[in-house]
């Protein structure tokens, strides 16, 4: 388990360094938007982080001890949202529940946003997605 935790911390650090949305606008409200803050029954929160070029990173956290399949979230744009980090990955000692590399968002409005996608949220985990250019 020590090796798996070290793998996770390494992946977390590499992702942080390579994903400008995680640090460029830390002290600017333009770098953050709530996507889901009211799903208390499901124990889920989701938010977007942006870099200076408005490239988004979506963070979804499932605090429940069970996965959620088909969890729809509104997004700023359609396209392929690549899963860049999943704290529940088998390589990190998790159950391996995830989105098989990403999800395809459509132009179907949801939650006041112009696009949406359906996600698989692993139990007790955080999953990060970036929009492919």
């Amino acid at each position: 388990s020590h090796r798996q935790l070290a793998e996770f911390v390494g992946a977390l650090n590499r992702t942080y360094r390579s994903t400008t949305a995680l640090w460029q606008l830390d002290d600017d409200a333009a770098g953050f938007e709530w996507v889901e803050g009211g799903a208390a029954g499901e124990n889920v929160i989701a938010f977007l982080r942006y870099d200076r070029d408005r490239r988004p990173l979506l963070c979804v956290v499932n605090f429940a001890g069970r996965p959620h399949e088909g969890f729809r979230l509104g997004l700023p744009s359609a396209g392929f949202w690549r899963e860049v980090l999943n704290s529940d990955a088998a390589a990190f000692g998790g159950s391996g529940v995830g989105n098989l590399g990403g999800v395809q968002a459509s132009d179907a409005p949801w939650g006041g946003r112009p696009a949406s996608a359906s996600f698989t949220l692993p139990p007790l985990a955080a999953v990060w997605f970036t929009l492919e250019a």
Side-chain angles (χ1 to χ4, degrees):
S1 66
H2 177 75
R3 181 187 57 76
Q4 292 167 322
L5 180 59
E7 288 288 328
F8 175 67
V9 171
L12 186 64
N13 285 332
R14 285 186 300 277
T15 304
Y16 180 80
R17 280 192 309 269
S18 67
T19 309
T20 54
L22 288 170
W23 48 266
Q24 268 190 353
L25 297 175
D26 272 351
D27 58 353
D28 188 334
F32 178 89
E33 286 180 19
W34 280 109
V35 173
E36 180 58 70
E42 292 85 5
N43 293 318
V44 171
I45 63 168
F47 57 88
L48 289 160
R49 293 289 310 265
Y50 291 98
D51 66 9
R52 287 185 196 110
D53 296 324
R54 296 297 292 166
R55 288 183 300 241
L57 172 110
L58 173 68
C59 177
V60 187
V61 183
N62 179 10
F63 292 100
R66 63 178 181 81
H68 295 298
E69 294 189 23
F71 195 91
R72 184 160 294 279
L73 290 169
L75 298 168
S77 59
F80 186 74
W81 288 76
R82 183 173 52 91
E83 188 177 279
V84 294
L85 188 71
N86 179 343
S87 68
D88 191 53
F92 307 144
S95 66
V97 172
N99 295 275
L100 302 174
V103 298
Q104 184 66 42
S106 69
D107 287 321
W110 187 268
R113 297 186 182 276
S116 64
S118 182
F119 295 84
T120 297
L121 306 180
L124 302 171
V127 189
W128 294 353
F129 299 87
T130 56
L131 180 61
E132 296 273 304

